[in-house]
Amino acid sequence: AWVTVAAPADGDSVLAVGAINPWSGLHTTFSSFGPSADKELKPNVTAVGHVMAYSKEKKIGETQGTSFSSPLTAGFAACAWQANPDLTNWELLKMIEKSGDMYPYFDYAHGYGVPQASYFLDGETLILPDSIFTISVEDDILQVSIREDFMIKDTLEQGQDFDVYRFTQRINRHVWDYKKVTIDQEHPFSKRELFYYHIENDSNYLDEYSVLSVRENPVVTVNLEKYKGKTKILRFHYRGYTEEFKLEE
């Protein structure tokens, strides 16, 4: 994949669509990473990028590309606009972002997640408890735990060497720890219930974000000492719930 999303997807009025693996719901390896060169959020949203299609060899089989996730979202946008014809094109773009299944959480692999038709048709939102996270800080070590009755222990196996999935991208150094998720042809689409968190700096873009398997509490431990002076917000996302932690000056 490209390190940075390129033209025309990097335009500030362009809805850039990334691709996800339909067997996990996570970023797939061929889809470009954001942000744009001027640090704007890209991709804005994501959609499935692996499909069954008819090839030039006259065979039906699995193929892939953002050339599939983008038109899927374009069709979604057409239906959303038909249901809400008074919207301007900019209003529609922002509403598609808000309909993402991770919103208001975001990162530079998934954007705000996969747009949801229910947002446009009936306005239904998931009713969540006041908080599902417990955040504790001691000696600049922050630990985040998930409420036990809300936790689904879920992992993405990485073969013999890995039993926990972790994807991390550090934007300022353009490096990432990325373990490829194998497509399981024997099972249908099932988005895994994983834990997302990002670190936003005082310039309002992300320095780092991660996706982790959920196995036990605490789910993540962060050393706040290395982020002091440049980071202002840490956000956590799990099963549709987002919470933020603001660092003290």
Side-chain angles (χ1 to χ4, degrees):
W2 296 80
V3 173
T4 303
V5 172
D10 63 348
D12 64 359
S13 300
V14 175
L15 185 75
V17 183
I20 59 170
N21 177 328
W23 284 265
S24 67
L26 295 168
H27 175 274
T28 194
T29 51
F30 59 79
S31 186
S32 296
F33 294 97
S36 63
D38 58 354
K39 305 299 185 184
E40 294 294 326
L41 172 62
K42 296 292 174 178
N44 304 82
V45 293
T46 49
V48 169
H50 298 256
V51 301
M52 301 301 293
Y54 192 74
S55 69
K56 61 182 179 181
E57 289 82 14
K58 298 183 180 181
K59 294 181 180 179
I60 295 178
E62 189 264 331
T63 186
Q64 60 192 36
T66 52
S67 298
F68 297 105
S69 59
S70 182
L72 279 172
T73 307
F76 177 93
C79 293
W81 211 346
Q82 186 176 31
N84 301 269
D86 294 332
L87 294 176
T88 66
N89 54 353
W90 180 251
E91 289 171 338
L92 178 65
L93 185 153
K94 303 311 289 184
M95 286 185 69
I96 290 174
E97 288 184 334
K98 290 180 179 180
S99 77
D101 64 347
M102 295 169 63
Y103 186 89
Y105 184 86
F106 64 91
D107 65 36
Y108 299 140
H110 307 92
Y112 289 114
V114 179
Q116 303 296 299
S118 58
Y119 182 88
F120 292 92
L121 297 178
D122 51 28
E124 290 184 1
T125 57
L126 181 64
I127 299 175
L128 296 168
D130 292 338
S131 179
I132 65 167
F133 299 121
T134 299
I135 301 174
S136 63
V137 180
E138 185 175 351
D139 296 329
D140 286 326
I141 300 299
L142 179 146
Q143 291 188 324
V144 181
S145 299
I146 298 171
R147 211 173 76 181
E148 288 290 343
D149 62 341
F150 211 76
M151 177 185 285
I152 297 176
K153 295 182 179 180
D154 207 349
T155 64
L156 287 171
E157 295 184 0
Q158 300 296 312
Q160 295 180 351
D161 297 331
F162 303 100
D163 64 352
V164 177
Y165 178 84
R166 182 184 182 97
F167 164 75
T168 299
Q169 186 179 11
R170 297 175 179 86
I171 310 305
N172 52 346
R173 293 195 296 274
H174 292 293
V175 295
W176 55 79
D177 170 21
Y178 184 79
K179 300 178 178 67
K180 183 177 180 180
V181 178
T182 302
I183 290 179
D184 183 355
Q185 302 285 3
E186 301 300 319
H187 296 85
F189 169 81
S190 179
K191 183 171 183 178
R192 308 306 291 261
E193 298 292 357
L194 304 180
F195 177 84
Y196 300 73
Y197 77 94
H198 71 215
I199 299 170
E200 181 180 317
N201 61 34
D202 55 8
S203 297
N204 300 112
Y205 66 89
L206 305 185
D207 276 332
E208 179 177 331
Y209 58 93
S210 294
V211 186
L212 309 175
S213 287
V214 175
R215 300 184 72 194
E216 59 187 7
N217 282 320
V219 182
V220 66
T221 299
V222 179
N223 185 347
L224 299 178
E225 182 66 32
K226 66 178 182 177
Y227 300 110
K228 283 187 175 180
K230 63 178 182 179
T231 300
K232 66 177 186 179
I233 297 176
L234 282 74
R235 291 189 183 88
F236 314 97
H237 179 86
Y238 181 70
R239 294 185 63 191
Y241 190 88
T242 298
E243 191 165 323
E244 64 180 41
F245 177 86
K246 294 184 179 181
L247 272 69
E248 296 181 359
E249 296 294 336

